[in-house]
Amino acid sequence: MDKLKEVIRHMINISESEMENFLKNCLSKKFKKKEILSYPGSLPNEVFFIESGLVRVCLTDQNGTEHTIHLALENEFICDYSAFIRKELSIYSLEVLEDTHAIILPRSSIDWGYTHMKEGNKLGRLIAEFYFIYQDNRIKNQFIRTPKERYDSITEVFPNIHNRVPQHMIASYLGITPIHLSRLKKSDRSKS
């Protein structure tokens, strides 16, 4: 849990006893590629901190088509935040894309942090702000940038993504077809 402790200490001032009590019910767990951390229709009662690995957040529409909404990399928190906060059933799947080591923070630990940690509310706010800014930028990029611009900038958000995520999922994340992604990649190679 050293990486999680480091991230928390970077975000807030926290005493050793606060850290110990906050993390005492958290669980360190390894997940295999293709495991599902959270299913649509389930009530999310935990947040995952990715120590190593990669998790995809996806949504399946009425036609059965999967849409990649988000990718969570190392040192990031992930869950269906809206459903977690509102205690509603999730609509997202959280799928492990490569062997992943995560810390599971149960709702009880998070609630304890809000109530008992001097800067617990600040920690929650900073995590929520990070996710809000990410989602806001994602929405703006979908409408303001061209597919080529989105393709060119994806490695800024997700370094080494082309070696870690199947191309059809990258295309889905970019809001384009796999054929269009292939054309963009080919165009880039021909310029080199």
Side-chain angles (χ1 to χ4, degrees):
M1 290 194 199
D2 291 339
K3 285 186 181 182
L4 175 58
K5 289 178 181 179
E6 184 181 321
V7 167
I8 292 171
R9 284 189 183 107
H10 182 74
M11 297 172 84
I12 63 169
N13 292 315
I14 185 170
S15 70
E16 285 304 314
S17 65
E18 285 178 323
M19 183 74 81
E20 183 181 320
N21 283 312
F22 180 63
L23 298 177
K24 74 179 175 186
N25 293 317
C26 296
L27 176 66
S28 176
K29 187 172 178 183
K30 293 185 179 182
F31 297 93
K32 294 284 184 198
K33 182 178 181 176
K34 297 190 178 183
E35 273 191 71
I36 304 296
L37 303 181
S38 178
Y39 290 93
S42 64
L43 181 66
N45 278 311
E46 61 272 324
V47 172
F48 299 90
F49 175 80
I50 310 300
E51 287 208 325
S52 64
L54 178 63
V55 175
R56 171 175 82 130
V57 179
C58 75
L59 175 68
T60 304
D61 67 21
Q62 305 90 324
N63 299 320
T65 304
E66 287 186 350
H67 301 275
T68 301
I69 305 301
H70 179 48
L71 300 163
L73 305 173
E74 292 81 7
N75 299 321
E76 291 184 9
F77 296 90
I78 192 68
C79 75
D80 180 341
Y81 289 108
S82 294
F84 179 85
I85 291 166
R86 297 161 80 183
K87 297 181 182 177
E88 295 178 349
L89 298 181
S90 178
I91 61 168
Y92 296 113
S93 291
L94 274 62
E95 176 188 8
V96 175
L97 295 185
E98 60 188 33
D99 290 352
T100 294
H101 180 219
I103 307 298
I104 303 169
L105 294 91
R107 184 181 297 279
S108 60
S109 292
I110 293 166
D111 289 345
W112 185 92
Y114 282 136
T115 305
H116 296 95
M117 288 169 35
K118 187 182 273 186
E119 294 191 4
N121 284 319
K122 180 180 178 185
L123 178 64
R125 179 180 54 82
L126 291 173
I127 293 168
E129 285 175 358
F130 171 85
Y131 196 69
F132 173 80
I133 291 167
Y134 164 80
Q135 288 292 32
D136 187 55
N137 285 333
R138 175 146 164 65
I139 291 166
K140 285 188 262 189
N141 285 336
Q142 286 296 108
F143 292 101
I144 295 172
R145 288 184 166 180
T146 66
K148 174 76 170 116
E149 290 170 332
R150 292 194 304 268
Y151 169 76
D152 289 343
S153 68
I154 193 169
T155 55
E156 294 169 16
V157 180
F158 305 112
N160 200 29
I161 197 68
H162 295 289
N163 296 321
R164 297 178 74 181
V165 176
Q167 295 305 294
H168 71 279
M169 291 180 190
I170 293 173
S172 172
Y173 178 83
L174 293 172
I176 60 177
T177 66
I179 293 169
H180 194 166
L181 177 61
S182 182
R183 285 187 199 125
L184 290 172
K185 290 175 79 174
K186 186 184 275 187
S187 171
D188 266 7
R189 283 193 297 266
S190 68
K191 291 177 185 174
S192 301

